[in-house]
Amino acid sequence: MTGAFSGLDHVLVGVRDLEAARATWTGLGFNPCPRGRHTGWGTANYCLMFPGDYVELLGIVDPTQFVNRLDSFLESGEGLLGVSFASPDLAASADRLARAGIVCEGPKDLKRTIELPGGEVFPAFKLLYPPPEAAPGLNAFACRHLTPDLVWNPAWLDHPNKATAIAEVVSVAADPEALAPAYALLAGEEAVRSANGALEARCGRAMLRVLTPEAYRERYPGSGEEPAGDSPRLAALSIASSDLGETRRVLESKRVAFTQAPKPGGLDVPPEAASGVRLSFLGV
């Protein structure tokens, strides 16, 4: 890999009520895996698994334990919390960043339980934490799965809404092109492209897209103001669908509000229907 990371591993959504979030995303046509709990932490999750990546719905179940600043995030509402990059070799990723003068924290070990009908299983992973300036607007870390067979269970990959992958993660920044050097270090120089003031970085199967506030309002008409704040910040998430017609049918059957996205095409679900996430489904 020419960049520090090989792709996206997962995207995190911070939620106030984990069981309510599971019901919400089930109502959007997803098939959440059984609940997981981080060992030694006060957080738990439901994951929406795709063949190569996933979305993690993350909530607090014990506020007396370490919650990794999720409580602070939730003070301003639910929504996109952060991005986890994938790496087959976190030491090599850390070395790649170190050669650019960026010092990471870790790798650190973490486990979680998954509550299966036949008993608990214990997926394990290693995590690497770059400083915020290494991934502006993404609140990012990196993950290497040590037990992928416990996480990518085939029964969890089939979603009624035909979701198949993370298609894009959208951020907003006043000057997207100024972020190009950082994104080139993350994904590789050949993966980064500037166009009409926006920035795109192909990261494995997914696209990292940074828009100006004006371009964000054009992409999501009727969305009102862009996410608050002066710094680059996460704004929207797009999921790939293998059958957008079936996605539409599922949303209609669940009475989920959505609009037809004029650009780049697809279906847009408002934040109030997706745990604070401005969610889109894009055809593949």
Side-chain angles (χ1 to χ4, degrees), residues 76 137 171-175 211-213 217 225-235:
S76 59
S171 300
V172 171
D175 184 4
L211 304 177
T212 63
R217 289 190 291 268
E225 294 297 318
E226 69 277 1
D230 295 328
S231 302
R233 60 269 188 204
L234 288 167

Side-chain angles (χ1 to χ4, degrees), residues 186-200:
L186 297 172
E189 290 186 7
E190 72 286 352
V192 178
R193 184 174 74 93
S194 295
N196 301 320
L199 183 73
E200 299 177 350

Side-chain angles (χ1 to χ4, degrees), residues 14-130:
V15 301
R16 288 178 170 146
D17 184 326
L18 194 55
E19 296 307 314
R22 180 197 60 78
T24 292
W25 290 76
T26 299
L28 289 167
F30 292 96
N31 172 31
C33 74
R35 196 175 87 151
R37 171 73 186 268
H38 295 108
T39 304
W41 290 18
T43 54
N45 60 23
Y46 286 103
C47 294
L48 317 174
M49 302 301 303
F50 311 126
D53 48 37
Y54 61 98
V55 175
E56 177 181 3
L57 309 177
L58 182 67
I60 297 171
V61 293
D62 186 350
T64 68
Q65 292 187 295
F66 177 68
V67 297
N68 200 24
R69 301 185 300 278
L70 178 57
D71 52 348
S72 299
F73 172 83
L74 292 173
E75 288 176 0
S76 59
E78 299 180 302
L80 286 177
L81 172 62
V83 168
S84 173
F85 288 101
S87 172
D89 186 338
L90 290 179
S93 295
D95 180 67
R96 175 73 180 87
L97 292 170
R99 284 186 273 118
I102 296 172
V103 178
C104 297
E105 181 181 351
K108 295 185 176 182
D109 292 306
L110 182 65
K111 290 185 178 181
R112 66 180 169 103
T113 62
I114 298 181
E115 302 161 359
L116 300 180
E120 295 180 331
V121 294
F122 302 92
F125 13 82
K126 288 185 176 291
L127 304 178
L128 182 73
Y129 296 93

Side-chain angles (χ1 to χ4, degrees), residues 247-278:
T247 305
R248 176 188 287 272
R249 190 197 69 77
V250 169
L251 294 178
E252 289 175 340
S253 71
K254 301 290 186 177
R255 298 184 178 180
V256 175
F258 67 91
T259 57
Q260 181 75 41
K263 178 183 177 182
L267 308 174
D268 286 350
V269 176
E272 56 268 25
S275 302
V277 177
R278 184 163 293 284

Side-chain angles (χ1 to χ4, degrees), residues 119-222:
E120 295 180 331
V121 294
F122 302 92
F125 13 82
K126 288 185 176 291
L127 304 178
L128 182 73
Y129 296 93
E133 62 269 20
L138 296 177
N139 188 27
F141 62 98
C143 178
R144 176 178 172 242
H145 291 267
L146 303 180
T147 54
D149 56 312
L150 299 181
V151 177
W152 275 274
N153 185 318
W156 306 335
L157 303 179
D158 185 19
H159 301 277
N161 62 13
K162 302 303 179 181
T164 59
I166 297 169
E168 64 176 0
V169 177
V170 178
S171 300
V172 171
D175 184 4
E177 292 183 354
L179 308 184
Y183 279 54
L185 184 59
L186 297 172
E189 290 186 7
E190 72 286 352
V192 178
R193 184 174 74 93
S194 295
N196 301 320
L199 183 73
E200 299 177 350
R202 173 62 62 182
C203 193
R205 294 169 295 274
M207 182 71 75
L208 301 177
R209 195 181 307 278
V210 189
L211 304 177
T212 63
E214 296 77 15
Y216 174 81
R217 289 190 291 268
E218 180 182 356
R219 166 64 181 85
Y220 301 98

